[in-house]
Amino acid sequence: MIVDVHAHYTQAPPQLDAYRGRQVSALNKPVKGKLSLSDEVIAQSLKGNLAQMQERGITHMMFSPRASGMGHDVGGELVSRYWTEINNDLIAQVCRLFPQTFSPVCQLPQTPGVGPAGCIEELRRCVEEMGFVACNINPDVSGGLAPLTPSLGDEWWYPLWDAMVALDVPGMIHASSTQHPGQHLNGSHYINWDTAAVVELCNSRVFEDFPKLKLIIPHAGGSTPFQFNRQRSLNALRGKRPFEEMVRHLYFDLAIYDQDSMEMTIRKLGADRVLYATEMFGTAKAVDPLTGLAFDDTVGMVRAIPGLSEADQALIFHGNAQRLYTRAKWKV
């Protein structure tokens, strides 16, 4: 079994964007409205995902709304709540149609300047009423503008951590849009936040206060494997617990697209903390001119890593996911 823990509904039907356009045009008078898509339309939109999964041998996906489309920096609390509910309902519909293939992961109704306690009602609705197995968490709610979002190590986040532990659901730290004109969304903003998330969490008391909290950092933690000793030195200078101990409270996915980087990630962070991921139809859907394969076609890369035992491959491909996503229903 091969589980891909990082997939977004990037192929969602255009009616979703049309809904968002209407919503943004009426930010001063937010109304939820409706988005009604037939099962046939949904199934048609997923043909590419299903075909690639079959071609590459991927058995199961953790499926969430488009990360860049979460758009928490747009509008107030009602706008975010309505948009989030529409997206989560759509993901639930996908997973009802293909329960053996996709597990639902929700976005949260985050709003600049508003604490994450306001997200808990929607998290509970998704988990308890619709069978969601995890959530995505935007660490930069305003997209780089004021009001700035507190550090992930700050107690500001504790109501959300507490709810996640109580529900036994993991969260992926995944940024959304940015308002910074000098940053590329996928190339700079996302990777910067992956790195920052590791630094902030590993310099905090979060895992002392929430030892059962399960957090996943995408894209191998940004620069984390490459800057491993830099982070070790920062913890040593501040008299913190060793970074190499702190970082093992976190989990990391392999949406990084080259074998050397994967090998370093596994070597530095441990096979028991690494999960297979492609972010299919995302940033790396282009074809690599050197290989003729899509950049995100990476199952073979993991299998080709020298010295990676069958036991470690099993952890990366499915074992760690089965341990983290306890609410998922697996087809074995």
Side-chain angles (χ1 to χ4, degrees):
M1 181 166 67
I2 298 178
V3 179
D4 185 337
V5 302
H6 189 163
H8 304 296
Y9 198 4
T10 56
Q11 309 294 86
Q15 291 93 322
L16 179 63
D17 287 331
Y19 173 95
R20 183 60 161 173
R22 292 191 298 272
Q23 187 186 47
V24 171
S25 70
L27 291 179
N28 59 328
K29 293 182 179 180
V31 177
K32 184 173 182 180
K34 293 182 179 180
L35 176 67
S36 181
L37 295 172
S38 69
D39 289 349
E40 290 75 17
V41 167
I42 297 292
Q44 180 68 28
S45 73
L46 293 164
K47 281 188 173 180
N49 298 79
L50 296 171
Q52 284 200 6
M53 289 177 72
Q54 185 172 14
E55 290 168 7
R56 299 175 185 182
I58 296 171
T59 316
H60 200 89
M61 275 187 170
M62 300 297 155
F63 206 62
S64 66
R66 289 178 300 190
S68 61
M70 292 191 293
H72 297 125
D73 53 307
V74 177
E77 287 185 81
L78 271 181
V79 171
S80 183
R81 191 208 319 164
Y82 293 155
W83 176 235
T84 295
E85 289 173 355
I86 288 290
N87 274 279
N88 289 338
D89 288 347
L90 188 57
I91 294 298
Q93 185 177 356
V94 167
C95 296
R96 282 195 300 270
L97 285 174
F98 301 96
Q100 300 299 325
T101 306
F102 300 110
S103 285
V105 175
C106 65
Q107 71 179 56
L108 299 174
Q110 297 175 259
T111 306
V114 179
C119 299
I120 294 172
E121 181 181 355
E122 176 64 5
L123 178 63
R124 290 191 179 280
R125 180 182 82 94
C126 288
V127 173
E128 296 176 340
E129 298 179 22
M130 298 193 294
F132 279 63
V133 303
C135 63
N136 287 343
I137 303 156
N138 183 0
D140 181 13
V141 185
S142 65
L145 299 180
L148 297 176
T149 307
S151 161
L152 287 167
D154 194 273
E155 291 185 10
W156 186 83
W157 291 94
Y158 277 24
L160 179 58
W161 304 153
D162 189 54
M164 289 169 56
V165 170
L167 291 167
D168 191 25
V169 291
M172 179 173 283
I173 304 297
H174 204 310
S176 184
S177 49
T178 178
Q179 296 291 334
H180 194 308
Q183 286 193 346
H184 189 282
L185 178 67
N186 305 87
S188 299
H189 181 62
Y190 284 175
I191 303 304
N192 290 347
W193 265 110
D194 297 339
T195 303
V198 176
V199 175
E200 298 303 315
L201 288 164
C202 290
N203 276 276
S204 76
R205 289 182 47 87
V206 166
F207 293 107
E208 294 175 37
D209 296 335
F210 298 94
K212 294 183 178 180
L213 180 64
K214 298 182 288 189
L215 294 176
I216 301 155
I217 314 297
H219 316 120
S223 68
T224 298
F226 183 72
Q227 298 286 1
F228 199 84
N229 271 7
R230 183 179 182 88
Q231 306 310 333
R232 289 184 64 231
S233 70
L234 290 176
N235 280 44
L237 284 169
R238 297 185 63 190
K240 298 283 186 179
R241 281 178 56 198
F243 176 77
E244 58 268 34
E245 294 179 12
M246 292 297 295
V247 78
R248 287 188 54 77
H249 289 287
L250 295 168
Y251 295 84
F252 300 84
D253 82 27
L254 282 183
I256 44 178
Y257 316 119
D258 81 87
Q259 186 176 313
D260 288 344
S261 297
M262 291 178 179
E263 183 177 358
M264 176 181 279
T265 299
I266 296 164
R267 187 173 69 250
K268 292 284 190 180
L269 301 171
D272 61 332
R273 314 309 283 188
V274 174
L275 302 99
Y276 182 74
T278 66
E279 201 171 8
M280 186 181 290
F281 290 111
T283 300
K285 61 187 176 183
V287 172
D288 184 346
L290 298 179
T291 66
L293 299 174
F295 282 99
D296 60 7
D297 186 357
T298 59
V299 170
M301 292 182 189
V302 177
R303 288 182 169 150
I305 292 174
L308 188 64
S309 69
E310 289 187 10
D312 284 346
Q313 286 189 34
L315 285 175
I316 292 163
F317 280 135
H318 62 85
N320 294 329
Q322 289 174 303
R323 180 159 48 91
L324 279 182
Y325 296 89
T326 56
R327 289 179 173 269
K329 296 177 175 63
W330 306 103
K331 179 182 178 182
V332 180

